[in-house]
Amino acid sequence: FILNEIPFFILLGIFSGLVSYYFTWAAMYLEGRFGKVKNSYLRLVFGGAILGLLIFIFPSLFGEGYEALMDILHGEGETIINQSIFKDFIENKYLFLLLLLLILIFKVIAMAATTGSGGVGGIFAPSLFMGGVSGFFVARFINSLTPFKVSESNFSLVGMAGIMAGVMHAPLTAIFLIAEITGGYELLPPLIITATISYLTINYFEPHSIYTKRLAQRGELMTHHKDKAVLSMMKVKKLIETNFNPIHPDATLGDLVKVISSSSRNIIPVVDEDGTFCGLIFMDHIREIIFKPEIYRTTFVRNLMFMPETTVSQQESMEAVAQKFQKTGKFNLVVLKDGKYIGFISRARVFSAYRKLLKDFSDD
């Protein structure tokens, strides 16, 4: 480590922060797109096809990338391109730098294709790989396009700390982990500089780590806000009520009266033969006509039902459900899954479960 290299480590910190932001944004976006593909087999085919194509172009993307990292740290960084179909462009310094950028871009896509399609993958190994390649890119850029010369292996190590600090929002963890990997503290000053600047850079664009965002997306994030923490522990599936008697939209008023006579609830869900939700009937809305037998055969359910403006999905967080109750003022909301009727969730049951959990939460 040389004091004259401090500006370059600052540059590496800024670059690492921007790469970390791309890492977080692209991973969340692509995993979200994969999640919209409902068919798990189709999702697997898409993920496999994307991953296979990327590995064919850049074989160094396969696996954790530890072998590629070791090559970079041993001064043989060209091997990560040498295995690809672009190996003939290694001698061209401009194209070589462009290929390194493409590896950084494609690594995140490959990671998201793996996890999004149902494969097993994590954040730690890809962040190390991205950090090593980022540091190598900055060092090769400096060595190739400026009169200065820097250690590519040192910049790769420091780049690992930069990406880890940015992606995980954990600069201290990144600093000491990479310091332990090196077996000494000669690189501690540049590690501190790069990791800190990387963290500050990504924090300007994205204040939450990818781990926090994933937990929040699944509604499992525990916060210091007690209400939100309790709601995050509640699941829609466990609060669904199914003791509502459904009726077909083509049924007559006479059929509806028979259903009402055996029902203990004042809401009748209208469901077709496929289980698709068609609408609702409130007893209060038909009270005036249920005592007119002369129209029992000529009045149909489809003319009496209405489609509610607000519904609930099984996958929704309880915080979102609570907001819907507050916004609509309703006491019951229908729960659907892909348009199919599942049941209802009631304000009273949610409040009862919330009160019980809050008591347990407070006692702990």
Side-chain angles (χ1 to χ4, degrees):
F1 167 64
I2 305 173
L3 286 176
N4 292 340
E5 294 178 351
I6 287 180
F8 298 128
F9 285 114
I10 293 175
L11 175 64
L12 177 58
I14 296 172
F15 182 73
S16 297
L18 295 175
V19 172
S20 299
Y21 175 64
Y22 163 72
F23 186 110
T24 303
W25 174 84
M28 295 299 298
Y29 174 78
L30 293 173
E31 288 175 359
R33 299 294 292 182
F34 271 101
K36 292 182 179 179
V37 180
K38 302 302 181 183
N39 189 308
S40 58
Y41 295 103
L42 191 60
R43 191 163 61 239
L44 186 63
V45 170
F46 283 153
I50 293 172
L51 194 59
L53 177 62
L54 293 178
I55 292 175
F56 172 75
I57 298 173
F58 290 110
S60 58
L61 297 178
F62 179 75
E64 300 91 347
Y66 290 139
E67 292 183 5
L69 282 178
M70 293 304 297
D71 289 336
I72 293 174
L73 296 178
H74 290 135
E76 301 172 357
E78 291 80 3
T79 56
I80 65 173
I81 304 296
N82 195 36
Q83 301 171 350
S84 74
I85 59 177
F86 302 107
K87 60 184 178 180
D88 295 333
F89 300 112
I90 291 179
E91 300 301 325
N92 187 312
K93 58 185 179 182
Y94 298 105
L95 287 178
F96 183 73
L97 290 171
L98 177 61
L99 292 173
L100 289 178
L101 280 178
L102 289 177
I103 288 178
L104 289 175
I105 293 172
F106 290 152
K107 180 62 178 179
V108 181
I109 298 175
M111 181 198 75
T114 301
T115 55
S117 61
V120 178
I123 298 298
F124 181 74
S127 66
L128 281 182
F129 177 86
M130 293 278 288
V133 176
S134 296
F136 179 55
F137 171 82
V138 172
R140 181 56 63 94
F141 180 88
I142 295 169
N143 292 336
S144 301
L145 304 181
T146 72
F148 301 98
K149 298 298 178 184
V150 296
S151 170
E152 293 179 349
S153 59
N154 284 351
F155 267 67
S156 296
L157 281 168
V158 176
M160 292 182 200
I163 297 298
M164 285 182 61
V167 171
M168 302 178 185
H169 282 234
L172 290 177
T173 300
I175 291 168
F176 290 109
L177 180 62
I178 302 302
E180 286 296 322
I181 290 176
T182 60
Y185 292 93
E186 293 84 1
L187 286 177
L188 190 58
L191 286 172
I192 294 173
I193 293 170
T194 299
T196 303
I197 293 178
S198 174
Y199 171 72
L200 293 175
T201 301
I202 190 176
N203 203 54
Y204 178 80
F205 300 100
E206 176 53 68
H208 304 294
S209 73
I210 190 170
Y211 294 118
T212 303
K213 290 175 72 67
R214 281 180 171 178
L215 286 172
Q217 192 178 58
R218 295 198 300 264
E220 299 174 358
L221 180 63
M222 299 295 292
T223 69
H224 294 293
H225 192 292
K226 184 175 287 189
D227 286 339
K228 290 184 177 180
V230 172
L231 287 173
S232 70
M233 299 168 66
M234 299 169 63
K235 303 298 178 185
V236 171
K237 285 185 179 180
K238 296 182 178 180
L239 298 174
I240 295 176
E241 300 177 46
T242 57
N243 60 335
F244 292 79
N245 295 343
I247 193 170
H248 195 278
D250 293 332
T252 63
L253 177 59
D255 297 325
L256 178 60
V257 171
K258 293 178 182 178
V259 171
I260 292 174
S261 65
S262 62
S263 176
S264 59
R265 311 301 292 260
N266 65 342
I267 304 175
I268 307 298
V270 182
V271 182
D272 68 11
E273 59 274 6
D274 296 326
T276 302
F277 177 72
C278 301
L280 294 176
I281 292 179
F282 278 110
M283 284 184 59
D284 289 344
H285 295 172
I286 61 169
R287 196 179 302 277
E288 296 179 358
I289 63 172
I290 59 176
F291 298 108
K292 296 180 179 180
E294 65 272 14
I295 63 172
Y296 276 8
R297 295 185 179 181
T298 58
T299 304
F300 295 91
V301 168
R302 61 176 175 269
N303 300 321
L304 301 174
M305 68 182 187
F306 73 96
M307 181 62 71
E309 296 181 359
T310 306
T311 61
V312 173
S313 168
Q314 278 187 312
Q315 288 73 37
E316 279 192 78
S317 67
M318 282 308 304
E319 185 179 358
V321 174
Q323 290 174 351
K324 287 184 177 181
F325 274 121
Q326 184 177 11
K327 183 178 179 180
T328 62
K330 302 293 184 183
F331 292 97
N332 295 279
L333 293 175
V334 64
V335 181
L336 306 178
K337 181 179 180 181
D338 299 327
K340 305 290 185 179
Y341 169 74
I342 302 298
F344 282 83
I345 186 168
S346 69
R347 183 194 293 259
R349 188 165 185 179
V350 169
F351 181 72
S352 177
Y354 168 83
R355 188 169 53 184
K356 182 179 183 300
L357 269 177
L358 183 61
K359 182 178 181 299
D360 296 339
F361 197 73
S362 300
D363 291 343
D364 292 340

